[in-house]
Amino acid sequence: MPHISARLTWNEEIGPGHHLMAAHAPQIAAAARPGQFLHVRVGPTHDPLLRRPFSVLRVDEASGQVWLLVKVVGRGTRLLAGMAPGAVLDVMGPLGCGFPEPPPGEEVALVAGGCGVAPLIFWADRIQTTFSHIRVVSILGAATEDVMVCWLDLAARSDEFYATTEDGSAGERGLASDALRGLLARRNFAAVYACGPRGMLKVCAELARGAGVPCFVAVEEAMACGVGACLGCVVPAAGGGYLRVCSDGPVFAAEALDWEALAT
Amino acid sequence: MPHISARLTWNEEIGPGHHLMAAHAPQIAAAARPGQFLHVRVGPTHDPLLRRPFSVLRVDEASGQVWLLVKVVGRGTRLLAGMAPGAVLDVMGPLGCGFPEPPPGEEVALVAGGCGVAPLIFWADRIQTTFSHIRVVSILGAATEDVMVCWLDLAARSDEFYATTEDGSAGERGLASDALRGLLARRNFAAVYACGPRGMLKVCAELARGAGVPCFVAVEEAMACGVGACLGCVVPAAGGGYLRVCSDGPVFAAEALDWEALAT
Amino acid sequence: MRGEAGLPPVDMSVKVGPLALPSPVLVGSGTFGFGEEYAPYCDLARLGAIVTKAVTLRPREGNPGPRIWETAAGMLNAIGLQNPGLERFLAEKLPPLVAAGHVVIVNIAGHDVEEYVKLAGALDAAKGVAAIEVNVSCPNVSRGGIEFGRDPAVLGELVRAVRGATRLPLIVKLSPNVSDIVPLAAAAMEAGADALSLINTLLGMAIDARQRRPRLANVTGGLSGPAIKPVALRMVWQVWQALRPPIIGMGGIMTGEDAAEFMLAGAAAVAVGTANFVDPTSASRVAAELEDFCRGQRINHVSELTGGLQV
Amino acid sequence: MRGEAGLPPVDMSVKVGPLALPSPVLVGSGTFGFGEEYAPYCDLARLGAIVTKAVTLRPREGNPGPRIWETAAGMLNAIGLQNPGLERFLAEKLPPLVAAGHVVIVNIAGHDVEEYVKLAGALDAAKGVAAIEVNVSCPNVSRGGIEFGRDPAVLGELVRAVRGATRLPLIVKLSPNVSDIVPLAAAAMEAGADALSLINTLLGMAIDARQRRPRLANVTGGLSGPAIKPVALRMVWQVWQALRPPIIGMGGIMTGEDAAEFMLAGAAAVAVGTANFVDPTSASRVAAELEDFCRGQRINHVSELTGGLQV
Ligand SMILES: Cc1cc2nc3c(=O)[nH]c(=O)nc-3n(C[C@H](O)[C@H](O)[C@H](O)COP(=O)(O)OP(=O)(O)OC[C@H]3O[C@@H](n4cnc5c(N)ncnc54)[C@H](O)[C@@H]3O)c2cc1C
Ligand SMILES: Cc1cc2nc3c(=O)[nH]c(=O)nc-3n(C[C@H](O)[C@H](O)[C@H](O)COP(=O)(O)OP(=O)(O)OC[C@H]3O[C@@H](n4cnc5c(N)ncnc54)[C@H](O)[C@@H]3O)c2cc1C
Ligand SMILES: Cc1cc2nc3c(=O)[nH]c(=O)nc-3n(C[C@H](O)[C@H](O)[C@H](O)COP(=O)(O)O)c2cc1C
Ligand SMILES: Cc1cc2nc3c(=O)[nH]c(=O)nc-3n(C[C@H](O)[C@H](O)[C@H](O)COP(=O)(O)O)c2cc1C
Ligand code: FES
Ligand code: FES
């Protein structure tokens, strides 16, 4: 978990407000596991003050590059997305736990909502290289076609790929979780891995439980420290109490979380 | 006194920590008078919060450019000096009063200390074009040769030019005010115009008064509004009370200020 | 989104107690001079009222410089109530504002109850004053307002006396440098205030470590700007929860959305202060952005925001 | 400038009342966990002491999320004293810190005097606790410390009781949410405190205008970071001027120069809090920068800074 200066090498707007960015950070590229995140300073002054967490989308160990997908939602992501290649990023990472190894079985389902595609691309890639006996079935949901970014990166690393949009502008009309519902009814997944909005995660968790399939979700929550010290980023745990997204997660077994309390 | 967005067209480090910068701002270029300043935002967030004032060094009405000399002394100037051509500056100006017209006479003395050279270059230029019967005698003082910036710009607009450095690395060893002392003893200036550190201004004011020559000084003080509303930027007035640097100044007749109170 | 087709206009008029204003966006006392300096930058017609720099009975020179210092997302000031005094205010500053058709709220400060009473009486007799804002919290003048604003009994006495001297709407501007703002708000309202302004500056300090000297000649000063917004919002909400009085909220408002936050916390109107220094168009821009915000949220009347926070 | 040739080394050791520390730079309670999380980033050996997250008698779950929100140059937190409780602290958290040779200051919080007394007694009996810091100001737990920290009499009673339960150096951490910090500081010192920590967080609030909801589940939270530095400096200076007690200063310290400012205002030591989140090397970096600052200023012993402000 180094704390380093990484030179930005790529910044491309690949969809409205969606930036694909790369930084030269060989230590991180070598160490990162799918599901982990980087904690990034977005400006040189005291405002904005806190770092911003972003999932690792992909690493290129040979060139020492780490790729991120940044969606502009507020001032921090706006500043980051405005940085030009050559700029130096202050990065901590990789942080948090990654996706757990697939349980025995033939195929797994990856369900991505919007920007949640980032860690699942990395995960699909890793499954294909490290657990090559396992088939990857991916679903990517987005609101509309133009914000369905990186779908090719996910599709290229999947054995089967499904896309959904809420308005039907690409793929099936509907939600990623609708597609999962259909697949779970017909198929026998060893595990479901999901990353996206909380509502989607909740439905995925419910569907997987109904089908008796282990489900792992990557969760987002506002962070301060990113290393487990401040107790700021918690989500409610199933047995009561709280878990830290930054260090107990961001990937959790669905049954570890109290979905009732989480949804509110 | 417009409030505009101006594109940065030039940023060159002309001495250690000294940046010559230009922005495209035709309205300002047309309106600015020597001694006036621009009030510039140095970042897009709430930190740093306040604008920073900089004297106009020169305008180019034909190309609509305004030139500034920025010395890096703190975080605001560091941010500004780090901006690349193409960046958009949020600028208010020209603000404040300029140098008053030279009184009747044959020659005037311009005394610049360090960055104080900026408004005097503009003033020398304007005197040469508008009051061409008046000879400009300039003195530029700096700590050392490498921070003696823009001397050529001043010298080129002066009929006589003297340089001083504290370590003797360029020009005479000593202070700009020492050079003024010598000149005042031999010459009959219509006015002395000075811009630089307060200690230098005080000596210039005393010397000019001793010689019976009107003296005008351009003063610096931390500013908030820059337009006379906040009463934050005051200097003590000769008769008691306070004057606003931003709107009563930044150029004052030396006798308008309470030098005793100012120096502390 | 302004003027977006098909969307109804937003009614921006508000009532702050007895005071009817064309817009909920005012300016913070002391941050807008007497209005004239910002006229070239800011559309004063969009403002609900212009709140003047504090006026005192006699002219005041104010504190020596340095009077201001920038801090992280904020600034300290120790102006020290520099102002031309009541007489010159009435003769020179007020008439042009009134002639231009502005709603004028006059902020007053005094050394003792008597001075406040005299000020209020004179403003009551003047033409064109819409309301009086009583500054009981200026932390910069040693014998000044701060004691009034820290003790409910002392504050009540002051407000009662001023109330007796004028029929104009009376706004009491509270200090945030207190353990509990609610008893002070209650004391002011019980003593006859029509509305409360929340908040004045937090008392702060900055040091030049190399010179080992305070950055301000006055040593301490008032902290304002975005840095204090969370404290200001909390106080507005606390007072609103406890008393539901008419509140003018302020403290670090930079955008229309900031203004909406203050209104949701309980403010009937808001004031833009330090933001004017950062962007001279701030006050009218905040008004325009607030209107846009309402339009985007399908709010027909801006006052629907007041106290609308769901807890 | 560190290690610049010809310059003498700086003695960084300080005394905070009876407590001798190898460096004046500590960490703020609750911002450094129990030390373990920052060990990979920060050279803990450069720190004067590690101040733990608040420990309570029984384990606490803490508040529901969202617990934090970023504000301009600051952040709000409403963690709600989540901690494993005294027993597990003594069994699991304290021993590794002690084994690593760190000076450990344990921050304690309770619902009532009795809980504080029990905590102090148990820590007195434990091995390796260098001092106790009594948190009387955590604004997040409704029945929690805040009342203790707002009334001099109540505070004095608490401190006296805790004083009776331990011979360890006793540090009382005051709340800044008060009208006048000096009487509270005086009450704590008179009741037997050895030192004061100044300041805890300012009570603040943030609102999501579009959702019309508070940003924190707890509605209000504690404001920390550079935004509050001017308020913290002012309070340290006020208390120093009035009482000259041993002070641990904190509130927005990001750099060694910030630390020097607090010491000049009167602090014998300082704590780095929110800065740890921004830069995980902050605490040791601040110590190194402070040492460099002293060297640059030709100061041989860092404690020469304490109270050195020239007013
Ligand atoms: C483990 C993890 C992985 C993430 N991966 C990605 C990714 O790959 N691509 C991507 O675009 N976004 C990702 N996010 C979300 C991203 O961190 C936020 O969108 C970002 O912090 C928003 O910052 P802002 O200043 O633009 O927004 P603002 O709304 O202005 O931020 C205000 C505060 O809220 C926090 N915040 C706001 N939204 C979120 C959020 N969804 N999650 C966490 N904190 C938030 C910010 O960090 C900041 O502290 C991830 C979040 C987490 C926790
Ligand atoms: C009328 C006028 C004209 C000026 N012209 C020039 C110029 O042509 N070139 C140039 O390099 N500098 C000029 N200055 C000084 C310049 O404004 C400051 O150096 C700059 O504001 C420092 O900002 P900072 O953030 O880098 O420094 P910091 O020390 O970090 O600033 C902290 C605060 O103090 C204020 N401040 C610090 N030093 C000064 C100062 N000397 N004058 C005013 N405010 C100050 C800053 O504006 C800021 O609010 C001028 C100042 C004035 C008042
Ligand atoms: C430079 C300056 C001068 C001020 N003068 C006064 C004043 O004369 N009377 C008053 O009641 N408040 C005064 N204030 C306080 C503001 O009106 C306002 O309450 C405070 O600054 C918080 O709002 P802001 O953060 O938007 O600035 C002053 C503030 C500043 C920054
Ligand atoms: C997330 C967080 C948790 C905190 N928890 C505690 C605590 O448990 N006990 C305590 O006395 N202070 C606590 N504090 C207050 C800090 O120790 C410190 O006094 C305050 O944050 C001001 O310093 P800073 O601005 O450097 O953070 C906490 C602060 C933060 C930001
Ligand atoms: S962000 Fe601090 S514990 Fe997770
Ligand atoms: S900077 Fe506001 S009056 Fe000069």
Side-chain angles (χ1 to χ4, degrees), chain C residues 7-65:
Chain C
L7 290 175
V10 180
D11 184 343
M12 293 293 281
S13 68
V14 292
K15 290 205 72 179
V16 181
L19 192 62
L21 300 174
S23 157
V25 180
L26 323 183
V27 291
S29 170
T31 67
F32 213 70
F34 294 103
E36 52 208 340
E37 290 87 359
Y38 279 107
Y41 300 98
C42 180
D43 181 2
L44 304 188
R46 286 205 85 118
L47 304 184
I50 289 176
V51 184
T52 68
K53 170 93 193 126
V55 174
T56 56
L57 205 53
R58 273 169 290 276
R60 294 258 196 117
E61 284 195 355
N63 291 327

Side-chain angles (χ1 to χ4, degrees), chain B residues 223-233 244 246:
Chain B
M223 292 183 179
C225 71
V227 298
C230 75
L231 307 180
C233 64
R244 297 165 300 184
C246 69

